[in-house]
Amino acid sequence: MKYYIKTYGCQFNYSDSERVSAVLESAGLKRAKNHLCADLILFNTCSIRQTAEDRVYGTMVNMAKLKKIRPHLRIGITGCMVKRSSTKKSLKPDPLVKNMDDVDFVFRIEDSARLPQLLKETGLEVPHETPDEFDNGTLKNYFKINPKYSSQFQAFVPIATGCDKFCAYCIVPFTRGREKSRPMEEIWEECEKLVKNGCKEITLLGQNVDSYGLSFLDRNEKRFASLNVGEKIYFTRLLEELDKLKTKGLRRVRWTSPHPKDMTDDVIEAVATLETQMPYIHLPVQAGSNVMLRKMNRPYTREHYIKLIEKIRHRIPDCAISTDIVIGFCGETEKMFEETCELFEQARWDMAYISQYSMRRFTAAYKTMKDDVPRKEKERRWHRLNKILTRISHEKHKEFIGKTVEVLVEKCVKGICEGRSEHFKRTQFKGGKNLIGQIVPVKITDALAWNLIGELI
């Protein structure tokens, strides 16, 4: 019996899929090469934007055709689109089961351990029972699932789930719940096991990694002690602990995403001094207008954000910085958009992930605001900002010509190797497949808008 998982969305979703794979394989299923030869197809969904959900709905047309050819096929959905775990036989099925004829069951990612049970309810017999330690199907047990990592030398490790920030445009607090951090010992154990198995680079995941251990649930459940004034925050302490794994072979620790409100001096100092920390920080700004930031419920100003950028570049002069920006949020005027363009010129981010706003149900914006920026105007603003990004990114890349960077090789196609440098720059050079998984020195000879070109030393 074979399974296939199609993952949409962020790195968190890909990490979730690795844990789902582990549950399925512990129950005796094997991974299929593609969806055409699978007995079970799972869609791990994203609902951060409408287009992400639309892709799932569009795919269901093909699933209906496939089911006619393969009647035994079971189709399930998990991820951010799911509100409750259920099958068509459930007393209170999730709306997705009722609204999509060809979907047999859905499950919340926290209920991954219950997946074999749900499969049985749909009439699909799994080869083995679920391991006892997963029986409760709780979030705690979900984190204890040993993932089926897609790479031996790179791994995503979640350090928290959910979010307490409640940005007006964001659905995450309503799909993943309130922010809750994993115990530091549990994170250490997962990372130590990864390093023993040859992992060189670990990326820590959380909706707001720098608020690790500081959320309402963390304090309320007294799982983390209160911090005294001047103490390092728990996220910095976690980075310091993981840095000790360098003696066992860990080379790089990355993390995403921090929140500007929680970015403290000791986090910046950790990036500057810890050997496993890379000179790269992703720091989402979302908008360059203070009026927009207030409407978005982002509790900082552009002035505060710029001071953070200045602090980072003063302490880590060569640090690459990227960001997230939302274009066309409710009530965004041309003047407000121009302020975002001006901030881009001032901050000179190495990379920006620019998205056009789409209204999401359950959010504060959905309840209290109007999506009043026309689609064509959003597209125009996106293209305008993307031109600025392209120019600045190219200028930043030119600064690397003649320099040597360390590249963790991720793939090699037709003699061209590709990977990320310390600064998270996509770098390409001639080489062989034997270099995959290695960190190698590359001298940069050319710079394009989105990647570096170099020669293996």
Side-chain angles (χ1 to χ4, degrees):
M1 191 176 295
K2 297 181 179 180
Y3 74 92
Y4 180 81
I5 303 178
K6 174 64 177 176
T7 306
Y8 300 88
C10 66
Q11 294 163 319
F12 225 119
N13 288 41
Y14 283 88
S15 175
D16 289 340
S17 290
E18 291 178 341
R19 279 176 160 76
V20 172
S21 292
V23 172
L24 291 173
E25 296 194 14
S26 70
L29 281 76
K30 295 183 179 180
R31 186 190 297 271
K33 292 183 178 179
N34 56 61
H35 69 283
L36 296 175
C37 57
D39 305 290
L40 168 66
I41 300 176
L42 295 179
F43 294 91
N44 189 356
T45 63
C46 171
S47 59
I48 198 72
R49 288 187 289 275
Q50 185 61 47
T51 51
E53 290 192 7
D54 289 343
R55 284 199 294 270
V56 176
Y57 287 116
T59 303
M60 286 304 130
V61 176
N62 294 328
M63 293 300 102
K65 296 177 181 177
L66 193 58
K67 268 200 164 186
K68 289 180 180 179
I69 302 171
R70 309 185 69 195
H72 72 284
L73 176 65
R74 295 293 183 269
I75 296 174
I77 294 180
T78 188
C80 298
M81 287 176 67
V82 178
K83 303 299 181 291
R84 66 172 70 92
S85 301
S86 63
T87 66
K88 288 187 179 295
K89 297 178 182 179
S90 301
L91 293 176
K92 292 184 178 180
D94 186 279
L96 287 175
V97 175
K98 294 190 294 184
N99 297 333
M100 294 185 184
D101 294 336
D102 296 292
V103 174
D104 298 289
F105 67 99
V106 299
F107 65 100
R108 295 168 66 246
I109 202 68
E110 294 90 336
D111 295 333
S112 296
R114 292 182 54 213
L115 185 49
Q117 178 186 337
L118 289 169
L119 291 176
K120 288 181 180 179
E121 290 179 20
T122 68
L124 191 67
E125 290 296 325
V126 297
H128 307 308
E129 295 293 330
T130 311
D132 292 339
E133 62 265 30
F134 300 156
D135 278 352
N136 291 334
T138 62
L139 178 61
K140 181 179 179 181
N141 278 355
Y142 161 74
F143 278 137
K144 287 187 176 181
I145 296 171
N146 187 25
K148 183 72 176 178
Y149 298 105
S150 56
S151 168
Q152 187 178 353
F153 55 89
Q154 288 176 307
F156 296 127
V157 175
I159 66 172
T161 187
C163 183
D164 282 351
K165 292 298 190 284
F166 289 92
C167 299
Y169 52 81
C170 186
I171 198 172
V172 168
F174 306 98
T175 57
R176 290 188 177 267
R178 298 300 295 267
E179 186 173 332
K180 191 170 185 177
S181 303
R182 294 177 71 185
M184 196 175 295
E185 298 80 11
E186 190 176 302
I187 298 169
W188 167 269
E189 288 174 5
E190 182 173 344
C191 292
E192 184 181 38
K193 188 181 295 183
L194 280 164
V195 175
K196 284 182 178 178
N197 290 329
C199 187
K200 293 183 173 67
E201 179 180 89
I202 291 173
T203 301
L204 305 177
L205 301 179
Q207 298 302 325
N208 298 291
V209 289
D210 46 354
S211 62
Y212 170 75
L214 303 175
S215 73
F216 170 80
L217 289 177
D218 295 334
R219 297 194 308 270
N220 194 47
E221 296 179 7
K222 298 181 180 178
R223 293 180 301 117
F224 291 82
S226 298
L227 293 175
N228 296 318
V229 176
E231 282 189 307
K232 293 178 181 178
I233 63 172
Y234 284 107
F235 182 60
T236 302
R237 298 180 190 184
L238 175 61
L239 297 182
E240 291 176 340
E241 285 300 308
L242 296 181
D243 189 66
K244 297 174 183 177
L245 287 172
K246 63 192 175 191
T247 60
K248 298 183 179 182
L250 181 63
R251 298 284 299 276
R252 296 177 171 184
V253 175
R254 301 189 186 275
W255 33 273
T256 189
S257 289
H259 194 288
K261 177 180 178 293
D262 301 313
M263 178 61 71
T264 56
D265 291 350
D266 54 277
V267 174
I268 298 172
E269 188 63 22
V271 177
T273 58
L274 297 180
E275 191 174 330
T276 54
Q277 288 296 300
M278 296 294 100
Y280 168 75
I281 295 177
H282 180 68
L283 191 61
V285 67
Q286 305 303 357
S289 162
N290 284 336
V291 175
M292 271 289 97
L293 290 172
R294 285 194 297 272
K295 291 191 72 172
M296 290 177 167
N297 194 31
R298 300 285 290 183
Y300 54 86
T301 62
R302 63 179 286 155
E303 290 78 17
H304 173 79
Y305 186 91
I306 282 295
K307 284 183 180 179
L308 279 176
I309 295 286
E310 291 172 349
K311 275 185 181 181
I312 292 169
R313 288 181 173 151
H314 174 74
R315 186 65 186 89
I316 318 164
D318 68 332
C319 188
I321 304 174
S322 61
T323 196
D324 294 331
I325 295 176
V326 177
I327 293 297
F329 184 64
C330 307
E332 184 184 62
T333 64
E334 184 65 23
K335 181 178 181 299
M336 294 173 189
F337 171 67
E338 286 298 331
E339 289 182 272
T340 298
C341 294
E342 291 167 6
L343 181 62
F344 209 121
E345 296 285 2
Q346 186 177 1
R348 289 182 63 81
W349 293 290
D350 292 69
M351 175 55 69
Y353 302 92
I354 309 166
S355 62
Q356 299 175 41
Y357 174 70
S358 61
M359 186 72 81
R360 312 307 297 129
R361 289 184 63 193
F362 307 111
T363 63
Y366 180 82
K367 296 174 182 177
T368 63
M369 303 179 196
K370 184 179 179 181
D371 186 7
D372 54 0
V373 180
R375 181 178 176 180
K376 286 188 177 181
E377 179 59 20
K378 289 177 184 177
E379 291 175 354
R380 184 193 70 81
R381 293 177 186 180
W382 185 91
H383 286 292
R384 164 88 184 280
L385 205 57
N386 193 59
K387 284 184 179 180
I388 298 175
L389 166 62
T390 303
R391 170 173 54 81
I392 293 178
S393 175
H394 197 188
E395 291 170 358
K396 290 271 189 177
H397 282 175
K398 287 179 180 178
E399 296 173 4
F400 282 89
I401 294 177
K403 296 181 179 179
T404 298
V405 299
E406 297 289 319
V407 179
L408 175 54
V409 184
E410 298 173 3
K411 62 181 180 180
C412 184
V413 180
K414 295 181 179 180
I416 301 297
C417 290
E418 181 177 306
R420 297 280 180 176
S421 71
E422 308 97 314
H423 302 83
F424 205 63
K425 302 291 185 181
R426 189 159 62 94
T427 307
Q428 297 173 324
F429 60 94
K430 290 182 180 179
K433 291 185 177 181
N434 61 305
L435 297 177
I436 294 175
Q438 296 186 40
I439 297 177
V440 298
V442 176
K443 185 175 181 180
I444 303 304
T445 57
D446 197 8
L448 306 180
W450 308 119
N451 60 288
L452 301 173
I453 306 295
E455 295 176 347
L456 179 66
I457 297 180

